[in-house]
Amino acid sequence: MAEPHHSLTHSLLEDAQAFLLGTAMCALGLQFLTHLGLVTGQTAGLAVLVSYLTDWSFGAVFFVVNLPFYVLAVLRMGWRFTLKTVIAVALVSTLSEIFPALISFDRLEPALGAMLAGGTIGLGLIVLFRHGASLGGIGILALFLQDRVGIQAGWVQLGFDAALFATAAFALDPVLVGWSLLGAVVTNLIVATNHRKDRYIGR
């Protein structure tokens, strides 16, 4: 039997609980990553890498890095999506500053930590996507370039992540970069498997 397709408009309360859950899961995943010295892809990964190489906090860098992409978000996705994305980015930035004071790990093996990070971030992103938001960044730029110059969005994101991980390999322990790649694969598999417009479209 074919799976039913759904196009839903969520209430304010439904969006609020989803934003809290989705951003909390993403922020938790980032705690796994940063505890182990790992990175991830996209602008979140760039913010993590910058925070490792400077004294700046991840939350502040992540919020600032996303600012230029909001203009593209308005042009490509509209004001509703952009406003939701700004709120989601602000929540992840804030929770990422709060969580270190509330969470600590006595032991966390890199392989398990990478998979837990990839899983929690992937699930958090699915929650946000299904409520018409994102965590901004390269995904918006990729869609914009696809529309304007015909470069496939997937290639833009792949190229950015390849450059990011190549840079990380020079700045960080290559073994940790390898575990980081494992986490990124888990995240992308979850998103690719579950974020399908033929199954669920949230607004």
Side-chain angles (χ1 to χ4, degrees):
M1 180 180 296
E3 185 173 349
H5 300 168
H6 299 285
S7 179
L8 300 176
T9 298
H10 297 102
S11 69
L12 182 61
L13 181 60
E14 289 171 334
D15 277 344
Q17 66 84 24
F19 275 43
L20 288 174
L21 174 62
T23 57
M25 292 184 71
C26 289
L28 177 60
L30 289 165
Q31 295 308 303
F32 292 134
L33 286 176
T34 54
H35 172 76
L36 294 168
L38 306 182
V39 295
T40 188
Q42 308 297 303
T43 47
L46 176 61
V48 168
L49 184 59
V50 170
S51 71
Y52 288 159
L53 301 177
T54 68
D55 293 328
W56 302 334
S57 70
F58 165 81
V61 175
F62 183 57
F63 186 81
V64 171
V65 163
N66 273 288
L67 291 177
F69 297 103
Y70 295 141
V71 175
L72 297 180
V74 171
L75 295 174
R76 177 61 173 74
M77 304 291 194
W79 281 103
R80 182 184 179 90
F81 170 86
T82 304
L83 179 59
K84 286 187 172 186
T85 295
V86 171
I87 293 170
V89 169
L91 282 171
V92 170
S93 298
T94 301
L95 292 173
S96 296
E97 296 298 308
I98 296 173
F99 276 12
L102 304 176
I103 302 170
S104 63
F105 304 100
D106 289 330
R107 180 183 177 187
L108 182 60
E109 292 296 320
L112 177 60
M115 290 187 288
L116 287 173
T120 52
I121 292 172
L123 292 173
L125 288 173
I126 290 298
V127 173
L128 293 174
F129 291 164
R130 290 189 170 183
H131 284 259
S134 75
L135 289 182
I138 297 302
I140 297 172
L141 175 62
L143 291 172
F144 182 81
L145 290 176
Q146 180 172 278
D147 286 348
R148 291 299 178 92
V149 297
I151 302 174
Q152 290 187 9
W155 288 113
V156 175
Q157 293 186 101
L158 180 61
F160 178 85
D161 282 351
L164 177 66
F165 279 103
T167 302
F170 286 102
L172 306 176
D173 184 340
V175 174
L176 295 180
V177 176
W179 291 126
S180 299
L181 285 170
L182 172 62
V185 167
V186 171
T187 296
N188 285 306
L189 282 175
I190 289 175
V191 171
T193 302
N194 294 280
H195 183 48
R196 293 174 52 179
K197 289 185 177 181
D198 61 331
R199 291 185 174 179
Y200 186 111
I201 302 173
R203 296 185 177 87

